[in-house]
Amino acid sequence: MNTQILPGSTLGMLGGGQLGRMFTSAAQIMGYKVVVLDPDPQSPAGVIADQHICAAYDDEKALDDMAKLCAAITTEFENIPAQTLAFLEQKTIVHPSSKALASTQNRNVEKNFIASLGIQTAPFFAIRQQQDIAEAEKVIGFPAILKVATFGYDGKGQIPCKTIEDVYAGFEALGEKECVLEQRIDLDKEISVVLARSQTGTIINFPVAENVHVNGILHTTTVPTSVAAEQAQKAIQMANDIAKGLGYVGTMAVEFFVSQSGEIIANEIAPRPHNSGHYTLDACHTSQFEQQVRMLCGLPAGDCDLITPVVMVNLLGDVWGNSQPHWETLLSETNIKLHLYGKQEARPGRKMGHFNVLAETVDQAMQQADTCFENLKAD
């Protein structure tokens, strides 16, 4: 049954980072109140929420208080313990479900799930103990990449491996925690699909995005993508199949590799709004965060159509240097939209904000984005 939750109601957000902040802002604009639960007293979402419950994600009293306040609860990142969602599900509406989240919290579980749907992944092998490495060598070619199975993101917990000796050393360096060894793809492009799936199973897709990563962290997202239409459609179908297989409700993303031979290979599932979907804030009729609110509240999805070509550029703490970036570089341009996340301290590799360049063509947007990014950097 699809129950609609209307403005004036209170929504809950597990997690207080930038994704939670942008959800909170979208919900408040639509007339909802938002309660954020996050252990950081200065969390970006917590400081703008109607109420911030400053507690750990496994604090049952805090979770109980949140459930009493909220008509429905969602999350901003996949490392919230699945048992936290399971606890809340007994008391109120929760999307995505604990079951859907659990399928995405471990890379080995996630890749096996994707493969079970008949969707291609890079060749991979689970490494849970040192003895597994010799077996992995029989099925994984080099170069490869060793990734910690849980809590790895933005390039953290990942070690490139050119030889089997690198795998042994990498496994030790990662504390001999459960890992996955993935064969590297002969990569042409990286793309992602952001979608919204309703409580009744209806899926609406945002335009496919083309992504460039630097040091494992997203640097730019470009829409429309340069991949062929049939490749884009194949990625959309795969993402939709994954959402359906998870029984997912909400906004989610799937990242894909496009190989030099044109194959579409699933990489990772993000059970939440995604960094590569930030372009939707300015370049689409409906943002991924408004869509998250709509799905949580049982409302019809908004229009996902692209209004204008766009390039999104991530702003990491590196841009700050020893002072503030040259904001006038962006703010003097009428077609650039700046979004800062309200984080207290700029650190190298930390996502501090992003900007969207809207232009008549992708080439114009990219040229302007590159120039502005270079001129923006602090002295």
Side-chain angles (χ1 to χ4, degrees), residues 274-343:
H274 192 250
N275 198 165
S276 70
H278 290 347
Y279 76 89
T280 65
L281 284 159
D282 301 304
C284 292
H285 291 286
T286 306
S287 77
Q288 63 172 345
F289 301 101
E290 180 182 338
Q291 213 73 294
Q292 187 182 19
V293 176
R294 286 174 170 271
M295 297 302 98
L296 181 64
C297 294
L299 304 174
D303 184 344
C304 288
D305 285 355
L306 192 71
I307 301 168
T308 171
V310 58
V311 171
M312 186 282 298
V313 181
N314 251 343
L315 296 175
L316 306 182
D318 313 61
V319 175
W320 269 245
N322 296 315
S323 61
Q324 283 288 316
H326 299 293
W327 296 125
E328 66 279 4
T329 299
L330 301 180
L331 299 175
S332 61
E333 301 289 340
T334 58
N335 62 320
I336 293 181
K337 305 292 185 181
L338 174 64
H339 299 262
L340 295 177
Y341 302 153
K343 295 184 179 179

Side-chain angles (χ1 to χ4, degrees), residues 76-149:
E76 67 144 12
F77 70 124
E78 54 268 41
N79 291 334
I80 300 286
Q83 55 264 37
T84 292
L85 271 69
F87 177 85
L88 290 168
E89 283 167 343
Q90 299 171 40
K91 301 169 184 293
T92 190
I93 296 167
V94 179
H95 296 301
S97 69
S98 58
K99 184 181 176 186
L101 199 71
S103 299
T104 65
Q105 290 182 325
N106 178 298
R107 291 185 194 275
N108 287 310
V109 173
E110 178 181 273
K111 288 183 180 299
N112 280 310
F113 165 72
I114 293 171
S116 77
L117 299 173
I119 293 172
Q120 185 178 355
T121 68
F124 69 95
F125 196 92
I127 295 177
R128 298 183 175 89
Q129 52 191 0
Q130 199 175 65
Q131 296 94 296
D132 296 331
I133 297 174
E135 197 65 31
E137 187 180 18
K138 298 174 186 176
V139 292
I140 302 296
F142 289 92
I145 184 161
L146 185 69
K147 299 179 180 179
V148 68

Side-chain angles (χ1 to χ4, degrees), residues 3-291:
T3 304
Q4 289 196 342
I5 299 168
L6 299 176
S9 302
T10 299
L11 307 177
M13 168 52 70
L14 293 165
Q18 66 266 19
L19 300 177
R21 181 184 177 97
M22 287 182 271
F23 168 89
T24 299
S25 179
Q28 289 172 335
I29 287 169
M30 294 171 72
Y32 295 92
K33 296 182 177 67
V34 181
V35 175
V36 166
L37 189 147
D38 188 283
D40 178 5
Q42 295 299 317
S43 70
V47 297
I48 71 164
D50 295 274
Q51 186 174 337
H52 178 197
I53 299 174
C54 191
Y57 298 122
D58 59 358
D59 184 327
E60 289 196 358
K61 185 188 181 305
L63 295 172
D64 202 43
D65 291 344
M66 189 183 201
K68 287 172 183 171
L69 289 166
C70 298
I73 296 173
T74 189
T75 176
E76 67 144 12
F77 70 124
E78 54 268 41
N79 291 334
I80 300 286
Q83 55 264 37
T84 292
L85 271 69
F87 177 85
L88 290 168
E89 283 167 343
Q90 299 171 40
K91 301 169 184 293
T92 190
I93 296 167
V94 179
H95 296 301
S97 69
S98 58
K99 184 181 176 186
L101 199 71
S103 299
T104 65
Q105 290 182 325
N106 178 298
R107 291 185 194 275
N108 287 310
V109 173
E110 178 181 273
K111 288 183 180 299
N112 280 310
F113 165 72
I114 293 171
S116 77
L117 299 173
I119 293 172
Q120 185 178 355
T121 68
F124 69 95
F125 196 92
I127 295 177
R128 298 183 175 89
Q129 52 191 0
Q130 199 175 65
Q131 296 94 296
D132 296 331
I133 297 174
E135 197 65 31
E137 187 180 18
K138 298 174 186 176
V139 292
I140 302 296
F142 289 92
I145 184 161
L146 185 69
K147 299 179 180 179
V148 68
T150 56
F151 299 107
Y153 63 96
D154 288 345
K156 298 178 177 70
Q158 301 187 12
I159 297 176
C161 299
K162 293 180 180 176
T163 65
I164 198 68
E165 288 73 28
D166 291 343
V167 182
Y168 281 104
F171 187 57
E172 190 175 329
L174 293 171
E176 300 199 351
K177 294 175 183 170
E178 181 185 350
C179 290
V180 60
L181 184 66
E182 291 179 26
Q183 192 167 310
R184 276 201 179 273
I185 299 298
D186 190 11
L187 191 64
D188 181 27
K189 295 181 176 71
E190 294 180 79
I191 60 175
S192 56
V193 175
V194 178
L195 62 85
R197 187 172 185 268
S198 74
Q199 295 167 34
T200 57
T202 302
I203 298 176
I204 187 165
N205 301 95
F206 287 98
V208 175
E210 187 169 331
N211 305 314
V212 173
H213 290 80
V214 176
N215 298 323
I217 304 176
L218 184 66
H219 176 51
T220 62
T221 295
T222 302
V223 185
T225 174
S226 65
V227 300
E230 58 269 23
Q231 290 176 310
Q233 194 52 50
K234 186 174 181 182
I236 287 170
Q237 188 57 57
M238 287 178 170
N240 291 357
D241 288 345
I242 288 169
K244 185 178 178 182
L246 288 171
Y248 193 87
V249 175
T251 296
M252 65 169 274
V254 183
E255 296 179 83
F256 296 93
F257 298 131
V258 182
S259 73
Q260 290 286 351
S261 60
E263 293 177 301
I264 308 296
I265 298 162
N267 177 29
E268 286 185 0
I269 304 168
R272 50 173 171 78
H274 192 250
N275 198 165
S276 70
H278 290 347
Y279 76 89
T280 65
L281 284 159
D282 301 304
C284 292
H285 291 286
T286 306
S287 77
Q288 63 172 345
F289 301 101
E290 180 182 338
Q291 213 73 294

